[in-house]
Amino acid sequence: MASSNLMKPQMRGLLAWHLQYHIVGIFVESLGVAALYKFAVAEPRKKAYADFYRNYDSVKDFEEMREAGIFQSAK
């Protein structure tokens, strides 16, 4: 009697269903990770570079390095 109440396992299309389920899940997860990286890493990095180069004077930096003796050919 107990064996007649058990359902048969699904055999047809099982691999296709699992692949489709997991591919959709991985796609959604990858979009989340990409958005997290963009807003947690890339945007602050771009802002830091923009802030640095907003007031950066390359000629002044070169003169400081030249006076410190870093360059041998430029005296």
Side-chain angles (χ1 to χ4, degrees):
M1 284 306 254
S3 65
S4 65
N5 293 337
L6 294 175
M7 293 180 58
K8 289 186 177 180
Q10 178 186 4
M11 300 302 271
R12 290 184 187 261
L14 186 62
L15 177 62
W17 182 83
H18 277 280
L19 285 176
Q20 182 180 3
Y21 176 78
H22 287 101
I23 286 174
V24 169
I26 294 297
F27 182 73
V28 169
E29 185 177 346
S30 66
L31 286 178
V33 169
L36 179 69
Y37 179 82
K38 177 180 173 36
F39 293 115
V41 176
E43 292 297 325
R45 185 178 292 170
K46 286 192 327 192
K47 185 181 180 306
Y49 274 99
D51 291 343
F52 176 77
Y53 283 110
R54 186 173 295 123
N55 299 322
Y56 180 68
D57 185 13
S58 61
V59 175
K60 178 184 168 191
D61 198 26
F62 171 74
E63 292 297 330
E64 289 176 359
M65 287 189 282
R66 191 180 63 140
E67 291 172 5
I70 293 175
F71 301 115
Q72 296 175 357
S73 61
K75 294 199 180 216

